[in-house]
């Protein structure tokens, strides 16, 4: 799959970074900048719940690449100029985007169907054109297939430079446009009221996604570039509820993913750059999915377990307060570990005191909940929450006057 | 054109293309109406890691381990999408994007890492198949269709695709009413006591089966295009589900036949020597049909919400 000889185009230079060739370092930098731009822009796309539009854009670049090659060859060029190919890919990606919009707005098809249709038809047409190029026998095998899965082997210095500069510009543009895109994504009505042209902001966002896609297809490939747009924002979402931080984290995450992926892939043979970048990103995603505080799976499990323990403890104490021994094993273990119950299920001295407090709290809640005037305060009742966190000492004292004296065992 | 050469070289691929297109288009109708159209896209991406693992486990390029691997990967992907969507509280599109791109990347990496260069197993093949190579060498003319000895030499993809198509058609016919009910009004279907979740799983499994069988013969471009384009075009023509499914089958068949013929003979008519990718042309034809339906279909107007 790789080009003829990677080393031939490898411009060995004194400026070797990380023990890699100058080109590899430049590619890694480009991938990092590209990842940052993709992460930032992708956040807004994901916020608008249109993540897979980027997949349609990516697949729609293929006919443009092939046509650009054909045009360049027709005008006597070699047809390999990366800038020319990228220009073609941008044109057809734009056309694909227009088709998605047309199918969504002018017909009753939903956006996902429009995305799927554009994606498969443009891609199919692109493959068709690739076979046309093969059959023309122009003698210069274009190597256009490398755009499918990306390839950094045999990349020219000028190509790497194009990608690095493009990635940097896209990052910059995404940072500049961050505010309006945010407003448009969260509250289109408000955005319009403040004089923001939401359609133009949307257009700018799509333009940026397109730019990122077009720049990225050489490294990551058009089948996988969608991951660079989606993975950083959904990963960042685990770590914060504040959108400005999500944007920031997504940018950093995307940049690191691109940089690390490119470095790992350059470190050994048979590690294709695109898939390695994607897998680095999804490793970040799945780790975040597991360990993120609050939104992660482990945090949710822990919270559930903690809640379960509180419920069991409370119910156990109430049972003790009513003089019933505790037989349920989990509850008994919790109680005895806290020194509140004996192994036979009866209360210790400390347990009796705690049980009395729990019963008092419960009785206060019952009085509060029976009073229609206290409906709002009573709505905080969940069987666990101490009443002190809802009422002032004065109010509690008032409730206590209505407590019927009840013997505690 | 209509002669021995046609029977040997063009008839089997046309038939296989048609059957694959129809097998994908039928479940595609329901996926489209359930707004799960992109499940087909996701499934056809994860087929690649599936066949690579199937190959690595069995160490041979035979059909069954690879198809089992592909089917397994499709199921894993569907489950994983659901898990990621719930655990991460993501929109379905983002969850799909995460899962299929990860699995596809894994597949490409596995392929690069393992020693598969000696065998015919590569990404290009997975993407656009090789419909053109499915020829019937034993055929000598139309009479071969009735010659048992010659029939035994048919490309094995043909009977396989025919069986898949039959199963998909049969299951759809069998589950027609429950599928229709649960597609249009899931709450009502549940109230009637229909196993809504099982139905939706059955639909996805059916789609995965069609995708895996079709991908083996024609590559995943056709699979994605046929899951979406013919049903979408049919949806713009009629309001009745029965007619929609019927029309989608017709559109799928037309795409396959015209696509293959244009790809195979079109360049020759224009004076070129080589034919072009049949898979690409079939996808393009289905797109043209959809474009026509979107421009002129009697039921194309968006619903007034």
């Amino acid at each position: 799959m790789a080009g003829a000889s990677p080393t031939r185009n490898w411009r060995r230079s004194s400026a070797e970074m990380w023990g890699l060739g100058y080109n590899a370092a430049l590619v890694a930098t480009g991938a990092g900048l590209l990842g940052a731009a993709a992460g930032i822009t992708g956040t807004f796309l994901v916020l608008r719940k249109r993540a897979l539009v980027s997949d349609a854009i990516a697949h729609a670049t293929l006919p443009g690449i092939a046509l650009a090659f054909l045009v360049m060859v027709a005008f006597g060029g070699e047809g390999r100029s990366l800038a020319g190919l990228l220009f073609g890919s941008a044109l057809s990606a734009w056309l694909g985007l227009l088709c998605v919009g047309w199918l969504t707005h002018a017909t009753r098809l939903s956006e996902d169907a429009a995305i799927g249709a554009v994606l498969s038809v443009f891609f199919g047409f692109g493959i068709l054109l690739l076979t046309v190029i093969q059959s023309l026998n122009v003698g210069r095998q274009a190597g256009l297939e490398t755009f499918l899965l990306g390839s950094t082997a045999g990349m020219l210095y000028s190509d790497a430079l194009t990608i690095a500069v493009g990635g940097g510009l896209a990052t910059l543009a995404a940072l500049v446009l961050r505010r309006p895109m945010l407003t448009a994504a969260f509250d289109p009505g408000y955005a319009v009221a403040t004089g923001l042209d939401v359609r133009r902001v949307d257009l700018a966002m799509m333009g940026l996604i397109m730019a990122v896609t077009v720049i990225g297809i050489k490294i990551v490939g058009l089948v996988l570039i969608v991951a660079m747009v989606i993975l950083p924002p959904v990963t960042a979402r685990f770590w914060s509820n504040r959108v400005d931080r999500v944007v920031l984290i997504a940018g950093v995450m995307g940049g690191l993913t691109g940089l690390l992926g490119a470095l790992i892939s350059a470190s050994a043979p048979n590690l294709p750059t695109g898939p390695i970048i994607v897998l680095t990103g999804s490793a970040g995603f799945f780790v975040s999915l597991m360990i993120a505080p609050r939104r992660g799976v482990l945090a949710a499990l822990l919270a559930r377990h903690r809640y379960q323990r509180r419920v069991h403890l409370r119910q156990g104490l109430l049972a003790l307060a009513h003089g019933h021994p505790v037989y349920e094993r989990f509850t008994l273990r919790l109680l005895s570990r806290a020194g509140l119950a004996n192994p036979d299920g009866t209360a210790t001295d400390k347990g009796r005191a705690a049980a009395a407090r729990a019963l008092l709290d419960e009785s206060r809640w019952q009085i509060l909940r029976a009073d229609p005037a206290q409906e709002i305060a009573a709505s905080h009742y969940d069987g666990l929450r101490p009443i002190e966190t809802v009422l002032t000492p004065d109010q509690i004292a008032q409730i206590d006057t209505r407590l019927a004296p009840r013997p505690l065992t | 054109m209509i002669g021995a050469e046609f029977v040997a070289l063009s008839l089997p691929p046309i038939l296989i293309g048609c059957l694959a297109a129809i097998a994908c288009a039928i479940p595609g109708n329901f996926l489209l109406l359930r707004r799960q159209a992109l499940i087909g896209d996701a499934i056809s991406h994860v087929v690649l890691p599936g066949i690579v693992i199937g190959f690595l486990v069995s160490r041979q390029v035979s059909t069954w381990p690879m198809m089992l691997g592909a089917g397994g990967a499709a199921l894993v992907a569907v489950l994983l999408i659901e898990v990621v969507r719930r655990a991460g509280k993501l929109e379905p599109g983002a969850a799909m994007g995460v899962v299929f791109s990860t699995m596809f990347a894994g597949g490409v990496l596995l392929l690069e890492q393992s020693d598969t260069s000696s065998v015919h197993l590569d990404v290009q093949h997975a993407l656009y198949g090789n419909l053109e190579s499915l020829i019937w060498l034993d055929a000598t003319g139309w009479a071969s269709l009735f010659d048992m000895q010659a029939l035994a030499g048919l490309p094995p993809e043909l009977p396989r695709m025919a069986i898949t198509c039959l199963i998909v058609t049969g299951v759809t016919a069998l589950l027609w009413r429950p599928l229709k009910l649960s597609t249009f009004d899931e709450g009502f279907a549940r109230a009637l006591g229909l196993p809504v979740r099982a139905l939706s799983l059955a639909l996805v499994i059916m789609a995965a089966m069609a995708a895996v069988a079709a991908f083996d013969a024609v590559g995943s471009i056709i699979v994605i295009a046929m899951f979406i384009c013919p049903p979408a075009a049919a949806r713009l023509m009629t309001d009745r589900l029965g007619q929609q499914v019927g029309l989608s089958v017709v559109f799928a068949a037309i795409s396959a036949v015209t696509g293959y013929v244009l790809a195979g003979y079109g360049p020759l008519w224009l004076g070129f020597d080589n034919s072009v990718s049949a898979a690409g042309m079939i996808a393009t034809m289905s797109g043209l049909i959809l474009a026509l339906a979107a421009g002129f279909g009697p039921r194309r107007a968006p619903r007034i919400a």
Side-chain angles (χ1 to χ4, degrees):
Chain A
M1 263 196 350
S5 150
T7 43
R8 192 176 47 202
N9 297 322
W10 225 240
R11 180 185 284 195
R12 291 279 170 211
S13 162
S14 55
E16 293 198 345
M17 254 205 288
W18 300 296
L20 299 165
Y22 188 68
N23 258 19
L26 201 59
V27 165
T29 315
L33 288 169
L34 178 77
I40 296 172
T41 325
T43 308
F44 303 103
L45 197 69
V46 171
L47 278 177
R48 300 219 81 170
K49 300 199 187 306
R50 299 180 67 189
L52 285 182
V53 172
S54 54
D55 205 23
I57 294 178
H59 284 75
T61 55
L62 191 57
I65 295 173
L67 282 176
F69 176 81
L70 285 172
V71 168
M72 284 191 282
V73 169
F75 280 97
E78 210 202 344
R80 276 216 196 159
S81 149
L82 184 64
L85 295 176
L86 293 189
F87 180 71
S89 74
L91 280 186
S92 77
W94 192 249
L95 193 65
L97 203 55
L98 287 182
C99 287
V100 172
W102 176 58
L103 283 177
T104 316
H105 291 123
T107 75
R108 59 178 172 183
L109 296 175
S110 56
E111 190 171 40
D112 65 332
I115 289 173
V118 166
L119 181 156
S120 55
V121 173
F122 272 71
F123 191 63
F125 186 57
I127 296 294
L128 181 71
L129 289 176
L130 286 191
T131 53
V132 170
I133 291 176
Q134 273 168 11
S135 69
L136 283 181
N137 277 330
V138 277
R140 307 173 279 268
Q141 266 314 315
L144 294 183
E145 287 85 3
T146 57
F147 281 101
L148 292 179
L149 294 168
S151 165
T152 50
M155 191 184 264
L156 298 172
Y157 172 74
S158 61
D159 294 355
L161 197 65
T162 309
I163 289 163
V165 170
L169 285 179
T171 309
L172 215 65
L175 282 174
V176 169
L177 286 172
R178 169 175 58 107
R179 281 278 146 212
M181 288 200 290
L182 200 61
T183 320
F186 258 97
D187 197 340
Y190 172 74
V192 171
T194 54
L196 201 66
D197 189 342
V198 173
R199 282 175 50 96
R200 272 177 55 193
V201 174
D202 259 358
L203 214 63
M205 181 176 84
M206 283 305 163
L208 265 178
I209 291 283
M210 218 179 71
V212 166
T213 308
V214 165
I215 300 164
I217 46 178
K218 179 72 190 167
I219 298 185
V220 183
L222 58 87
V223 183
L224 285 173
I225 189 80
V226 59
M228 289 199 80
V229 177
I230 298 184
L231 279 171
V234 296
T235 308
R237 187 66 189 83
F238 283 112
W239 296 94
S240 178
N241 285 330
R242 297 192 39 150
V243 72
D244 48 347
R245 284 196 201 142
V246 171
V247 172
L248 192 73
I249 299 171
V252 172
M253 200 75 91
L256 278 180
T257 303
L259 188 67
L260 270 180
L263 289 179
I264 295 173
S265 126
S267 70
N270 290 336
L271 294 176
T273 315
I276 291 292
I277 291 179
V278 173
L279 288 174
T280 312
S282 44
F285 170 80
F286 282 102
V287 167
S288 303
L289 175 77
M290 293 316 287
I291 67 161
R294 281 198 294 216
R295 283 178 70 96
V297 169
L298 278 182
L301 284 179
L302 271 179
R304 204 183 110 100
H305 188 63
R306 213 175 297 135
Y307 180 74
Q308 206 175 17
R309 281 174 44 175
R310 283 179 66 200
V311 171
H312 276 265
L313 209 56
R314 174 77 167 198
Q315 293 304 318
L317 282 175
L318 287 178
L320 290 180
H322 288 295
H324 305 303
V326 173
Y327 296 117
E328 203 276 316
R329 228 176 268 164
F330 181 58
T331 318
L332 187 59
R333 207 169 58 228
L334 286 176
L335 284 171
S336 55
R337 204 185 300 157
L340 300 173
N342 299 312
D344 62 352
T346 55
T348 60
D349 288 344
K350 197 175 151 201
R352 263 191 286 280
R357 276 197 301 280
L359 185 62
L360 177 64
D361 192 54
E362 195 64 30
S363 315
R364 284 169 173 167
W365 272 114
Q366 271 169 22
I367 289 169
L368 185 72
R369 291 171 72 208
D371 185 354
Q374 300 281 358
E375 209 174 330
I376 294 176
S379 71
H380 291 293
Y381 176 77
D382 59 2
L384 292 174
R385 192 167 176 161
I387 202 163
E388 290 86 358
T389 62
V390 180
L391 298 183
T392 62
D394 294 358
Q395 288 172 308
I396 293 176
Q398 209 179 0
I399 284 179
D400 284 350
T401 60
R402 288 150 66 189
L403 272 179
R406 183 194 267 177
L408 291 171
T409 43
Chain B
M1 174 172 128
I2 307 292
E5 200 184 319
F6 176 80
V7 175
L9 298 181
S10 295
L11 190 62
I14 289 181
L15 281 179
I16 292 170
C18 264
L19 291 169
I22 293 169
C24 290
I26 291 176
N29 279 288
F30 295 96
L31 292 175
L32 181 85
L33 290 168
R34 289 164 172 248
R35 306 203 161 206
Q36 291 180 323
L38 288 171
I39 283 273
D41 182 24
I43 290 175
S44 46
H45 276 92
V46 302
V47 157
L48 178 73
I51 53 166
V52 177
I53 290 174
F55 166 76
L56 289 179
V57 171
S58 69
R59 278 281 147 209
Q60 51 184 334
V61 187
S62 64
T63 309
W64 286 111
M66 286 180 161
M67 285 182 91
L68 276 180
L75 284 186
V76 167
V78 169
L79 292 179
L80 207 57
I81 288 171
E82 197 58 20
V83 168
V84 165
R85 191 177 68 78
R86 292 203 185 157
K89 301 179 190 71
L90 296 177
E91 53 142 337
M96 248 181 246
V98 167
V99 171
F100 81 66
S101 55
T102 304
M103 289 180 72
F104 189 82
V108 176
L109 181 62
L110 264 182
L111 201 55
E112 291 282 309
Q113 287 283 307
S114 57
D115 180 31
T116 47
S117 50
S118 55
V119 297
H120 185 64
L121 180 67
D122 56 49
V123 179
Q124 267 79 10
H125 176 221
L127 284 175
Y128 35 94
N130 51 348
L131 195 51
E132 295 87 343
S133 70
L134 302 176
I135 49 177
W136 183 17
L137 289 174
D138 299 324
T140 49
W142 288 98
S144 302
L145 287 179
F146 305 100
D147 177 358
M148 286 318 283
Q149 217 174 352
L151 281 177
L154 272 174
E157 283 84 357
L158 184 55
R160 201 154 58 222
M161 213 52 244
I163 291 170
T164 312
C165 197
L166 263 180
I167 293 177
V168 167
T169 318
V171 171
T172 310
L174 209 65
L175 294 178
W176 181 262
R177 282 185 65 80
L179 260 181
K180 186 175 173 180
L181 265 173
S182 67
T183 299
F184 283 103
D185 193 340
E186 199 180 307
F188 180 58
R190 195 177 286 130
L192 284 181
L194 290 175
V196 177
R197 286 177 64 90
L199 275 172
S200 135
L201 190 68
L203 180 62
V204 172
I205 291 177
M206 196 156 70
M209 210 178 91
V212 169
F215 136 86
D216 178 47
V218 297
S220 50
I221 307 175
I222 295 190
V223 174
I224 310 174
M226 288 306 141
F227 266 124
I228 298 176
C229 292
R235 172 98 178 93
L236 303 175
M237 303 295 286
T238 171
D239 279 333
R240 302 199 58 83
L241 181 64
Q243 288 178 8
Q244 184 191 316
V245 173
L247 269 176
S248 74
V249 168
V250 173
F251 288 157
I254 292 178
S255 313
V257 175
T258 59
Y260 185 83
V261 170
L262 280 181
Y265 299 97
L268 305 184
W269 297 335
L270 291 176
F272 292 102
D273 299 337
N274 298 315
S275 56
V276 294
S277 159
M281 186 58 100
I282 292 173
T284 310
M285 290 315 291
S286 73
L288 282 182
I289 292 176
L290 174 61
L292 286 177
F296 308 104
R299 293 281 183 272
R300 66 179 186 278
R303 271 155 306 175
I304 313 297

